[in-house]
Amino acid sequence: MVSWILKKILGSKNQRELKRLTPIVGRINEFDEQFKSLSDDELRAKTAAWKEELSKIPDPQEQWKKLDEILPEAFAAVKNAARRLKEQQQMFTVCDQPMVWDMVHFDVQLLGGIVLHRGRIAEMATGECKTLVATLPLYLNALSGRGAHLVTVNDYLARRDAEWMGQLYNFLGLTVGCIQHDQEPDERREQYAMDITYGTNSEFGFDYLRDNGMATTREQQVQRGYHYAIVDEVDSILIDEARTPLIISGPATISTHQYDKWKPLIEQLVRKQNMLCNRLASDAIEKFQQGNVEAGGLLMFKVKLGQPRNKQLLRMMEDPDKRRAVDKAELSFYQDTRKEELFLLKEELFFTIDEKSNEADLSEQGRSFLNPDDPNSFVLPDLISEFTEIDLDQGLSDEEKDKRKAERQQHCDTQAERIHNISQLLRAYCLFEKDVQYVIEDNKVVIVDEFTGRKMPGRRWSDGLHQAVEAKEGVQIDRETQTLATITIQNYFRLYQKLAGMTGTAETEAAEFHDIYKLDVNMIPTNRPVRRTDFNDRIYKTRREKYNAVIKEIKEAHVKTQPVLVGSVSVEASELLSRMLKREKIPHNVLNAKFHMQEAEIVARAGQPGTVTISTNMAGRGTDIKLGPGVTELGGLKVIGTERHEARRIDRQLRGRCARQGDPGASRFYVSFEDDLMRNFGAADRMTKIMERFGLEEGQELEHRWLNKSVETAQKRVEQRNYLIRKRTLDFDDVMNMQREVVYTYRNEVIDSEEPRKLIFEVIDEAVPAKIKEYLDVDEPNYTGLVHWVNTTFPLGLTKEKAQFDTRAVDENAQFLIEKIKDAYDRKSSHEEPTAVKSLERYIILNAIDRLWQEHLYAMDALREGVYLRGYAQKDPLIEYKTEAYDMFVELMANIKNEVLNNLFRSTSNLQAFENFLATLPQFLMREHAPTAPTASADARMREPVGAMAGVAAGDGDGAGDVSIDLPVRRSIPKVGRNEQCPCGSGKKYKNCCGRVA
């Protein structure tokens, strides 16, 4: 009560914030009046003057201060330029459509521009032309010369806005670029070099990954920094799409999937489960008819576990008594004391489905059906125990032990692959529906975005799920992919020094924006009062009744030629409505993932008299619906939602499609108890009581503002759950992000370095002492092992006697080896082509980083999947993940350095140069007493120089650590088998004669 009174007296935080900004709007308008007397060239000259002034300020913080100072003048220049374009009435084309500029910034748009410049989110209602608002802060921040980015939801909108608003920027003397999906790197670099660049979040993110994780030269990199960005439809990009990280992947080197092998059996299993659930549902109906409500409820609960979308089950759930019986059975079985009974109940099915967690789990009966001959086919072997048994078996040689271990490991991998394939196929059949989560196009499975209804070509579900869906649909199964580079949307946008966003719906997610991105939300008032009427939801028992009521309302509006926009949550629902409207002979347009190309055209026509438009989802569509002639008198555009979405924002966006700029309009949502939201997250008990109290008949609806609250409560539950998923994803990815920053910084240092040899020598200086400590800084120094490592990594030809490691301290040994290695490398480099040496040195380091980083990503994925199991041991998976991830990263950096050392003398700019280097080395025949053999005795080591280098080797001073190469001994006669006759002519077998001493 006190807070309400204070808010009335002092105003809300948002109102106080906007009140503080209002004087700046007055100053902008004053400058606008002054600029009217300037010529076009004089107005344009201001841009050049500001750019020159800001270019002399090297410190970014000082630049921000200067931008704040010139904000009123700069915004006034943009507004004045917009007015001049309107007065000139020049024709230009946007996406091949002719247009004339007809916009000048309103005061509320100036307010929105100030909020965006200050690095906040401006919530502005649909129709307030956020596209024009963005021109103000983009122009101002582009003056710094560091680049300003506008991020939008698809290529069409990026191109449209760049061409449309580009008229204004070009008039003021700034350049505009646009990133499109199919552009080549050279063209992308040009677009990023422009003052202002438009593009989609995925294109910006993937360019970052390609620049930092795949490019090998500065010329291949396209981006130039992360100075300032505005995210259009910020809630859609930073929240809805944040659950899925951006991943660049390549085909795996080998493909071992068995989806096509297991598909027929899974199909049979699903069919058997469907038949079983239908039989159980029929038995439940009989029990209810006999008055045995408890037994009927138990059978219905069993059906719900095995087939939640069973038609008979959904029909029975319409009856309040039956619904309560199911709820009672479910609650009783989830008590701790009845866990075993619940397990036995699940075992009576072939598998169980959990729609909330999107999982399907095989029962013992299902496993027996799939593999009746092998009871252990779904049990992973305990490798630790098996390896221990093999190690303790004294009758096995070391080679046989290794062979046995490899066989057991292979068996385990095959077993795991089979279990995984079956699990993913089961999910594909039971949880993923065609025309809901995906569509089939050009013999490929294309994912449909659940929030925007857009197709996402090129995106694939991870972990083999996409291949499972491809197998289910009978299309080509593409090879599994391997992650090459990855980043989450959250961490990409946190790279920017200043980030802002704009949307029609951010208020409900204000806490998440602040927690994750440190972005505050300001709600900007509309230019004209909103005249939209939001009616209460209408709630029905079944989807059938709901759709009939929707068609009835559409019919009534169509008769009086009032335009109607119908929102649905899936392609399937939109096509069902389309069929029903065709039956009623009502002409209409369908906007869903299947008709993406005509999207803008369909939306633009949605406000014409008598138009009926069905849309999968209006979130982020980016095109305003302008009312046709005479529509205002009919009540404006009517918006009908056929189902409540999981997120309240999406519903608000659908409502916001009507009543733009003071137009009239109305909206209403239709809900049924069969909708996914109500089934999974609605308060079933409360709904059942309401149905009982009102005694709903066929076709009757419930309608009250209290019921709207109940639906919103269900939505809040889902939003909270999704927020926790995103937060958890970010917590884990923050660990990965720190590692990514270290690796990418090192990678860029290599690319930018003018002297990569310094980096090579740094690696030698760091890695060699670490390796020497590994061998010598222990209780029993391993001099033989160190000699072996040196000779297999570098062409030094050391022996234990020549190296004399035991006569020096560890640090002195390190210095001795480092000097020898650097000297050998300088000799090798002298034979390379001088122009190619730097590129070769960069390649050696980059190749080591890229190969091992990809392996590290794979290992981190595996760690992340498995670490949740530690929760059973009362350990926090996140802390465990951080600890192990750190150890793995330390190992990665050490491995990168060792990989560089291994490749140092195994890489060349061309073959001739390498042969020239080899020709200068003393060449020795390899014998079993060669210095690389760690078991050789000291007094048996003899080296015989051959060929032209004999004299060089013989006269080479101390010979300690000569640069050398060992050649294999070649036989002058064919090899004699142990059981063949001895070639000496004795008549005995070779093994019993001369072979006995060989």
Side-chain angles (χ1 to χ4, degrees), residues 284-312:
I285 292 169
E286 281 182 25
K287 294 291 182 188
F288 281 125
Q289 288 171 349
Q290 293 166 7
N292 193 344
V293 177
E294 191 175 336
L298 177 62
L299 290 168
M300 280 177 69
F301 173 53
K302 200 186 292 187
V303 175
K304 188 178 178 181
L305 287 172
Q307 200 180 5
R309 296 175 189 170
N310 182 282
K311 288 180 181 176
Q312 290 187 73

PDB file of all heavy atoms in Angstrom, residues 284-312:
ATOM      1  N   ALA A 284     -10.135 -48.609 -19.476  1.00  0.00           N
ATOM      2  CA  ALA A 284     -10.430 -47.529 -18.528  1.00  0.00           C
ATOM      3  C   ALA A 284     -11.881 -47.064 -18.695  1.00  0.00           C
ATOM      4  O   ALA A 284     -12.594 -46.833 -17.705  1.00  0.00           O
ATOM      5  CB  ALA A 284      -9.469 -46.364 -18.734  1.00  0.00           C
ATOM      6  N   ILE A 285     -12.325 -46.954 -19.943  1.00  0.00           N
ATOM      7  CA  ILE A 285     -13.716 -46.530 -20.215  1.00  0.00           C
ATOM      8  C   ILE A 285     -14.688 -47.531 -19.597  1.00  0.00           C
ATOM      9  O   ILE A 285     -15.687 -47.153 -18.959  1.00  0.00           O
ATOM     10  CB  ILE A 285     -13.950 -46.384 -21.739  1.00  0.00           C
ATOM     11  CG1 ILE A 285     -13.133 -45.203 -22.281  1.00  0.00           C
ATOM     12  CG2 ILE A 285     -15.433 -46.188 -22.052  1.00  0.00           C
ATOM     13  CD1 ILE A 285     -13.069 -45.127 -23.794  1.00  0.00           C
ATOM     14  N   GLU A 286     -14.377 -48.839 -19.753  1.00  0.00           N
ATOM     15  CA  GLU A 286     -15.239 -49.882 -19.182  1.00  0.00           C
ATOM     16  C   GLU A 286     -15.292 -49.767 -17.652  1.00  0.00           C
ATOM     17  O   GLU A 286     -16.373 -49.876 -17.047  1.00  0.00           O
ATOM     18  CB  GLU A 286     -14.703 -51.267 -19.564  1.00  0.00           C
ATOM     19  CG  GLU A 286     -15.052 -51.677 -20.983  1.00  0.00           C
ATOM     20  CD  GLU A 286     -14.548 -53.087 -21.290  1.00  0.00           C
ATOM     21  OE1 GLU A 286     -14.377 -53.890 -20.341  1.00  0.00           O
ATOM     22  OE2 GLU A 286     -14.315 -53.378 -22.471  1.00  0.00           O
ATOM     23  N   LYS A 287     -14.128 -49.545 -17.042  1.00  0.00           N
ATOM     24  CA  LYS A 287     -14.073 -49.425 -15.581  1.00  0.00           C
ATOM     25  C   LYS A 287     -14.921 -48.246 -15.099  1.00  0.00           C
ATOM     26  O   LYS A 287     -15.644 -48.345 -14.095  1.00  0.00           O
ATOM     27  CB  LYS A 287     -12.624 -49.238 -15.103  1.00  0.00           C
ATOM     28  CG  LYS A 287     -11.725 -50.445 -15.350  1.00  0.00           C
ATOM     29  CD  LYS A 287     -12.098 -51.622 -14.466  1.00  0.00           C
ATOM     30  CE  LYS A 287     -11.152 -52.800 -14.681  1.00  0.00           C
ATOM     31  NZ  LYS A 287     -11.628 -54.009 -13.974  1.00  0.00           N
ATOM     32  N   PHE A 288     -14.838 -47.140 -15.817  1.00  0.00           N
ATOM     33  CA  PHE A 288     -15.635 -45.964 -15.450  1.00  0.00           C
ATOM     34  C   PHE A 288     -17.131 -46.261 -15.581  1.00  0.00           C
ATOM     35  O   PHE A 288     -17.941 -45.855 -14.737  1.00  0.00           O
ATOM     36  CB  PHE A 288     -15.250 -44.759 -16.312  1.00  0.00           C
ATOM     37  CG  PHE A 288     -13.976 -44.075 -15.879  1.00  0.00           C
ATOM     38  CD1 PHE A 288     -12.926 -43.887 -16.775  1.00  0.00           C
ATOM     39  CD2 PHE A 288     -13.812 -43.609 -14.581  1.00  0.00           C
ATOM     40  CE1 PHE A 288     -11.757 -43.264 -16.383  1.00  0.00           C
ATOM     41  CE2 PHE A 288     -12.645 -42.984 -14.181  1.00  0.00           C
ATOM     42  CZ  PHE A 288     -11.606 -42.816 -15.082  1.00  0.00           C
ATOM     43  N   GLN A 289     -17.474 -46.982 -16.662  1.00  0.00           N
ATOM     44  CA  GLN A 289     -18.887 -47.326 -16.864  1.00  0.00           C
ATOM     45  C   GLN A 289     -19.398 -48.251 -15.761  1.00  0.00           C
ATOM     46  O   GLN A 289     -20.566 -48.203 -15.373  1.00  0.00           O
ATOM     47  CB  GLN A 289     -19.065 -47.979 -18.240  1.00  0.00           C
ATOM     48  CG  GLN A 289     -18.934 -46.981 -19.396  1.00  0.00           C
ATOM     49  CD  GLN A 289     -18.884 -47.668 -20.748  1.00  0.00           C
ATOM     50  OE1 GLN A 289     -18.753 -48.896 -20.840  1.00  0.00           O
ATOM     51  NE2 GLN A 289     -19.002 -46.874 -21.814  1.00  0.00           N
ATOM     52  N   GLN A 290     -18.503 -49.108 -15.239  1.00  0.00           N
ATOM     53  CA  GLN A 290     -18.888 -50.028 -14.152  1.00  0.00           C
ATOM     54  C   GLN A 290     -18.881 -49.322 -12.790  1.00  0.00           C
ATOM     55  O   GLN A 290     -19.242 -49.923 -11.778  1.00  0.00           O
ATOM     56  CB  GLN A 290     -17.905 -51.209 -14.109  1.00  0.00           C
ATOM     57  CG  GLN A 290     -17.981 -52.109 -15.331  1.00  0.00           C
ATOM     58  CD  GLN A 290     -16.783 -53.061 -15.425  1.00  0.00           C
ATOM     59  OE1 GLN A 290     -15.976 -53.129 -14.500  1.00  0.00           O
ATOM     60  NE2 GLN A 290     -16.680 -53.778 -16.537  1.00  0.00           N
ATOM     61  N   GLY A 291     -18.447 -48.068 -12.767  1.00  0.00           N
ATOM     62  CA  GLY A 291     -18.409 -47.305 -11.518  1.00  0.00           C
ATOM     63  C   GLY A 291     -17.128 -47.462 -10.734  1.00  0.00           C
ATOM     64  O   GLY A 291     -16.996 -46.931  -9.622  1.00  0.00           O
ATOM     65  N   ASN A 292     -16.143 -48.195 -11.291  1.00  0.00           N
ATOM     66  CA  ASN A 292     -14.855 -48.390 -10.612  1.00  0.00           C
ATOM     67  C   ASN A 292     -13.912 -47.241 -11.015  1.00  0.00           C
ATOM     68  O   ASN A 292     -13.040 -47.397 -11.872  1.00  0.00           O
ATOM     69  CB  ASN A 292     -14.260 -49.750 -11.006  1.00  0.00           C
ATOM     70  CG  ASN A 292     -13.100 -50.153 -10.099  1.00  0.00           C
ATOM     71  OD1 ASN A 292     -12.556 -49.307  -9.377  1.00  0.00           O
ATOM     72  ND2 ASN A 292     -12.735 -51.421 -10.129  1.00  0.00           N
ATOM     73  N   VAL A 293     -14.106 -46.089 -10.371  1.00  0.00           N
ATOM     74  CA  VAL A 293     -13.379 -44.864 -10.758  1.00  0.00           C
ATOM     75  C   VAL A 293     -11.886 -44.982 -10.473  1.00  0.00           C
ATOM     76  O   VAL A 293     -11.051 -44.562 -11.276  1.00  0.00           O
ATOM     77  CB  VAL A 293     -13.971 -43.636 -10.011  1.00  0.00           C
ATOM     78  CG1 VAL A 293     -13.192 -42.365 -10.349  1.00  0.00           C
ATOM     79  CG2 VAL A 293     -15.439 -43.460 -10.362  1.00  0.00           C
ATOM     80  N   GLU A 294     -11.535 -45.608  -9.352  1.00  0.00           N
ATOM     81  CA  GLU A 294     -10.116 -45.706  -8.980  1.00  0.00           C
ATOM     82  C   GLU A 294      -9.331 -46.528  -9.992  1.00  0.00           C
ATOM     83  O   GLU A 294      -8.251 -46.126 -10.442  1.00  0.00           O
ATOM     84  CB  GLU A 294      -9.997 -46.326  -7.587  1.00  0.00           C
ATOM     85  CG  GLU A 294      -8.580 -46.223  -7.028  1.00  0.00           C
ATOM     86  CD  GLU A 294      -8.486 -46.741  -5.593  1.00  0.00           C
ATOM     87  OE1 GLU A 294      -9.531 -46.747  -4.888  1.00  0.00           O
ATOM     88  OE2 GLU A 294      -7.387 -47.139  -5.197  1.00  0.00           O
ATOM     89  N   ALA A 295      -9.891 -47.688 -10.402  1.00  0.00           N
ATOM     90  CA  ALA A 295      -9.214 -48.546 -11.394  1.00  0.00           C
ATOM     91  C   ALA A 295      -9.134 -47.832 -12.744  1.00  0.00           C
ATOM     92  O   ALA A 295      -8.117 -47.910 -13.450  1.00  0.00           O
ATOM     93  CB  ALA A 295      -9.970 -49.870 -11.536  1.00  0.00           C
ATOM     94  N   GLY A 296     -10.209 -47.127 -13.108  1.00  0.00           N
ATOM     95  CA  GLY A 296     -10.212 -46.378 -14.374  1.00  0.00           C
ATOM     96  C   GLY A 296      -9.150 -45.288 -14.362  1.00  0.00           C
ATOM     97  O   GLY A 296      -8.440 -45.085 -15.363  1.00  0.00           O
ATOM     98  N   GLY A 297      -9.022 -44.581 -13.241  1.00  0.00           N
ATOM     99  CA  GLY A 297      -8.006 -43.526 -13.116  1.00  0.00           C
ATOM    100  C   GLY A 297      -6.605 -44.083 -13.230  1.00  0.00           C
ATOM    101  O   GLY A 297      -5.729 -43.473 -13.852  1.00  0.00           O
ATOM    102  N   LEU A 298      -6.378 -45.271 -12.628  1.00  0.00           N
ATOM    103  CA  LEU A 298      -5.066 -45.914 -12.696  1.00  0.00           C
ATOM    104  C   LEU A 298      -4.698 -46.257 -14.141  1.00  0.00           C
ATOM    105  O   LEU A 298      -3.574 -46.013 -14.594  1.00  0.00           O
ATOM    106  CB  LEU A 298      -5.073 -47.178 -11.834  1.00  0.00           C
ATOM    107  CG  LEU A 298      -3.789 -48.023 -11.846  1.00  0.00           C
ATOM    108  CD1 LEU A 298      -2.617 -47.234 -11.297  1.00  0.00           C
ATOM    109  CD2 LEU A 298      -3.985 -49.301 -11.043  1.00  0.00           C
ATOM    110  N   LEU A 299      -5.665 -46.827 -14.885  1.00  0.00           N
ATOM    111  CA  LEU A 299      -5.425 -47.188 -16.289  1.00  0.00           C
ATOM    112  C   LEU A 299      -5.162 -45.940 -17.135  1.00  0.00           C
ATOM    113  O   LEU A 299      -4.284 -45.943 -18.006  1.00  0.00           O
ATOM    114  CB  LEU A 299      -6.612 -47.970 -16.843  1.00  0.00           C
ATOM    115  CG  LEU A 299      -6.792 -49.395 -16.291  1.00  0.00           C
ATOM    116  CD1 LEU A 299      -8.146 -49.960 -16.682  1.00  0.00           C
ATOM    117  CD2 LEU A 299      -5.678 -50.312 -16.815  1.00  0.00           C
ATOM    118  N   MET A 300      -5.915 -44.866 -16.867  1.00  0.00           N
ATOM    119  CA  MET A 300      -5.697 -43.622 -17.619  1.00  0.00           C
ATOM    120  C   MET A 300      -4.310 -43.032 -17.324  1.00  0.00           C
ATOM    121  O   MET A 300      -3.642 -42.508 -18.217  1.00  0.00           O
ATOM    122  CB  MET A 300      -6.777 -42.598 -17.262  1.00  0.00           C
ATOM    123  CG  MET A 300      -8.102 -42.823 -17.982  1.00  0.00           C
ATOM    124  SD  MET A 300      -9.356 -41.639 -17.466  1.00  0.00           S
ATOM    125  CE  MET A 300      -8.725 -40.115 -18.154  1.00  0.00           C
ATOM    126  N   PHE A 301      -3.875 -43.145 -16.060  1.00  0.00           N
ATOM    127  CA  PHE A 301      -2.546 -42.653 -15.696  1.00  0.00           C
ATOM    128  C   PHE A 301      -1.467 -43.439 -16.446  1.00  0.00           C
ATOM    129  O   PHE A 301      -0.466 -42.885 -16.899  1.00  0.00           O
ATOM    130  CB  PHE A 301      -2.344 -42.766 -14.187  1.00  0.00           C
ATOM    131  CG  PHE A 301      -0.942 -42.443 -13.728  1.00  0.00           C
ATOM    132  CD1 PHE A 301      -0.331 -41.242 -14.084  1.00  0.00           C
ATOM    133  CD2 PHE A 301      -0.230 -43.340 -12.941  1.00  0.00           C
ATOM    134  CE1 PHE A 301       0.963 -40.947 -13.667  1.00  0.00           C
ATOM    135  CE2 PHE A 301       1.061 -43.044 -12.526  1.00  0.00           C
ATOM    136  CZ  PHE A 301       1.653 -41.852 -12.892  1.00  0.00           C
ATOM    137  N   LYS A 302      -1.708 -44.752 -16.594  1.00  0.00           N
ATOM    138  CA  LYS A 302      -0.760 -45.590 -17.325  1.00  0.00           C
ATOM    139  C   LYS A 302      -0.684 -45.154 -18.793  1.00  0.00           C
ATOM    140  O   LYS A 302       0.396 -45.080 -19.388  1.00  0.00           O
ATOM    141  CB  LYS A 302      -1.188 -47.062 -17.225  1.00  0.00           C
ATOM    142  CG  LYS A 302      -0.043 -48.032 -17.509  1.00  0.00           C
ATOM    143  CD  LYS A 302      -0.482 -49.468 -17.549  1.00  0.00           C
ATOM    144  CE  LYS A 302      -0.918 -49.985 -16.197  1.00  0.00           C
ATOM    145  NZ  LYS A 302      -1.180 -51.455 -16.260  1.00  0.00           N
ATOM    146  N   VAL A 303      -1.854 -44.830 -19.374  1.00  0.00           N
ATOM    147  CA  VAL A 303      -1.894 -44.340 -20.765  1.00  0.00           C
ATOM    148  C   VAL A 303      -1.137 -43.014 -20.861  1.00  0.00           C
ATOM    149  O   VAL A 303      -0.385 -42.772 -21.807  1.00  0.00           O
ATOM    150  CB  VAL A 303      -3.351 -44.166 -21.258  1.00  0.00           C
ATOM    151  CG1 VAL A 303      -3.372 -43.552 -22.660  1.00  0.00           C
ATOM    152  CG2 VAL A 303      -4.077 -45.502 -21.257  1.00  0.00           C
ATOM    153  N   LYS A 304      -1.323 -42.165 -19.857  1.00  0.00           N
ATOM    154  CA  LYS A 304      -0.657 -40.859 -19.852  1.00  0.00           C
ATOM    155  C   LYS A 304       0.862 -41.016 -19.828  1.00  0.00           C
ATOM    156  O   LYS A 304       1.596 -40.240 -20.447  1.00  0.00           O
ATOM    157  CB  LYS A 304      -1.129 -40.051 -18.633  1.00  0.00           C
ATOM    158  CG  LYS A 304      -0.659 -38.607 -18.631  1.00  0.00           C
ATOM    159  CD  LYS A 304      -1.192 -37.847 -17.429  1.00  0.00           C
ATOM    160  CE  LYS A 304      -0.664 -36.415 -17.405  1.00  0.00           C
ATOM    161  NZ  LYS A 304      -1.133 -35.667 -16.241  1.00  0.00           N
ATOM    162  N   LEU A 305       1.345 -42.023 -19.107  1.00  0.00           N
ATOM    163  CA  LEU A 305       2.784 -42.279 -19.065  1.00  0.00           C
ATOM    164  C   LEU A 305       3.306 -42.750 -20.417  1.00  0.00           C
ATOM    165  O   LEU A 305       4.401 -42.380 -20.828  1.00  0.00           O
ATOM    166  CB  LEU A 305       3.105 -43.345 -18.007  1.00  0.00           C
ATOM    167  CG  LEU A 305       3.016 -42.946 -16.533  1.00  0.00           C
ATOM    168  CD1 LEU A 305       3.181 -44.184 -15.661  1.00  0.00           C
ATOM    169  CD2 LEU A 305       4.076 -41.899 -16.187  1.00  0.00           C
ATOM    170  N   GLY A 306       2.511 -43.573 -21.097  1.00  0.00           N
ATOM    171  CA  GLY A 306       2.985 -44.195 -22.340  1.00  0.00           C
ATOM    172  C   GLY A 306       2.644 -43.433 -23.596  1.00  0.00           C
ATOM    173  O   GLY A 306       3.358 -43.563 -24.605  1.00  0.00           O
ATOM    174  N   GLN A 307       1.576 -42.637 -23.573  1.00  0.00           N
ATOM    175  CA  GLN A 307       1.160 -41.910 -24.777  1.00  0.00           C
ATOM    176  C   GLN A 307       0.341 -40.676 -24.360  1.00  0.00           C
ATOM    177  O   GLN A 307      -0.887 -40.680 -24.432  1.00  0.00           O
ATOM    178  CB  GLN A 307       0.327 -42.834 -25.689  1.00  0.00           C
ATOM    179  CG  GLN A 307       0.241 -42.366 -27.134  1.00  0.00           C
ATOM    180  CD  GLN A 307      -0.598 -43.322 -27.976  1.00  0.00           C
ATOM    181  OE1 GLN A 307      -1.198 -44.280 -27.465  1.00  0.00           O
ATOM    182  NE2 GLN A 307      -0.647 -43.074 -29.266  1.00  0.00           N
ATOM    183  N   PRO A 308       1.012 -39.587 -23.939  1.00  0.00           N
ATOM    184  CA  PRO A 308       0.300 -38.431 -23.377  1.00  0.00           C
ATOM    185  C   PRO A 308      -0.704 -37.797 -24.336  1.00  0.00           C
ATOM    186  O   PRO A 308      -1.641 -37.137 -23.901  1.00  0.00           O
ATOM    187  CB  PRO A 308       1.419 -37.442 -23.049  1.00  0.00           C
ATOM    188  CG  PRO A 308       2.672 -38.234 -23.051  1.00  0.00           C
ATOM    189  CD  PRO A 308       2.460 -39.393 -23.953  1.00  0.00           C
ATOM    190  N   ARG A 309      -0.496 -37.983 -25.664  1.00  0.00           N
ATOM    191  CA  ARG A 309      -1.403 -37.356 -26.633  1.00  0.00           C
ATOM    192  C   ARG A 309      -2.429 -38.346 -27.202  1.00  0.00           C
ATOM    193  O   ARG A 309      -2.988 -38.122 -28.273  1.00  0.00           O
ATOM    194  CB  ARG A 309      -0.593 -36.731 -27.772  1.00  0.00           C
ATOM    195  CG  ARG A 309       0.297 -35.585 -27.299  1.00  0.00           C
ATOM    196  CD  ARG A 309       1.177 -35.060 -28.391  1.00  0.00           C
ATOM    197  NE  ARG A 309       2.174 -34.111 -27.855  1.00  0.00           N
ATOM    198  CZ  ARG A 309       3.200 -33.636 -28.553  1.00  0.00           C
ATOM    199  NH1 ARG A 309       3.372 -34.030 -29.791  1.00  0.00           N
ATOM    200  NH2 ARG A 309       4.043 -32.788 -28.012  1.00  0.00           N
ATOM    201  N   ASN A 310      -2.647 -39.439 -26.501  1.00  0.00           N
ATOM    202  CA  ASN A 310      -3.638 -40.433 -26.944  1.00  0.00           C
ATOM    203  C   ASN A 310      -5.028 -39.783 -27.041  1.00  0.00           C
ATOM    204  O   ASN A 310      -5.475 -39.105 -26.110  1.00  0.00           O
ATOM    205  CB  ASN A 310      -3.656 -41.590 -25.938  1.00  0.00           C
ATOM    206  CG  ASN A 310      -4.618 -42.689 -26.345  1.00  0.00           C
ATOM    207  OD1 ASN A 310      -5.826 -42.558 -26.168  1.00  0.00           O
ATOM    208  ND2 ASN A 310      -4.077 -43.768 -26.877  1.00  0.00           N
ATOM    209  N   LYS A 311      -5.698 -39.976 -28.173  1.00  0.00           N
ATOM    210  CA  LYS A 311      -6.969 -39.267 -28.416  1.00  0.00           C
ATOM    211  C   LYS A 311      -8.043 -39.661 -27.408  1.00  0.00           C
ATOM    212  O   LYS A 311      -8.806 -38.815 -26.930  1.00  0.00           O
ATOM    213  CB  LYS A 311      -7.439 -39.538 -29.846  1.00  0.00           C
ATOM    214  CG  LYS A 311      -6.585 -38.815 -30.885  1.00  0.00           C
ATOM    215  CD  LYS A 311      -7.057 -39.083 -32.295  1.00  0.00           C
ATOM    216  CE  LYS A 311      -6.151 -38.357 -33.290  1.00  0.00           C
ATOM    217  NZ  LYS A 311      -6.507 -38.650 -34.691  1.00  0.00           N
ATOM    218  N   GLN A 312      -8.129 -40.962 -27.098  1.00  0.00           N
ATOM    219  CA  GLN A 312      -9.132 -41.397 -26.118  1.00  0.00           C
ATOM    220  C   GLN A 312      -8.853 -40.782 -24.749  1.00  0.00           C
ATOM    221  O   GLN A 312      -9.782 -40.377 -24.040  1.00  0.00           O
ATOM    222  CB  GLN A 312      -9.126 -42.928 -26.005  1.00  0.00           C
ATOM    223  CG  GLN A 312      -9.664 -43.639 -27.243  1.00  0.00           C
ATOM    224  CD  GLN A 312      -9.784 -45.133 -26.985  1.00  0.00           C
ATOM    225  OE1 GLN A 312     -10.670 -45.579 -26.259  1.00  0.00           O
ATOM    226  NE2 GLN A 312      -8.879 -45.908 -27.572  1.00  0.00           N
TER     227      GLN A 312
END
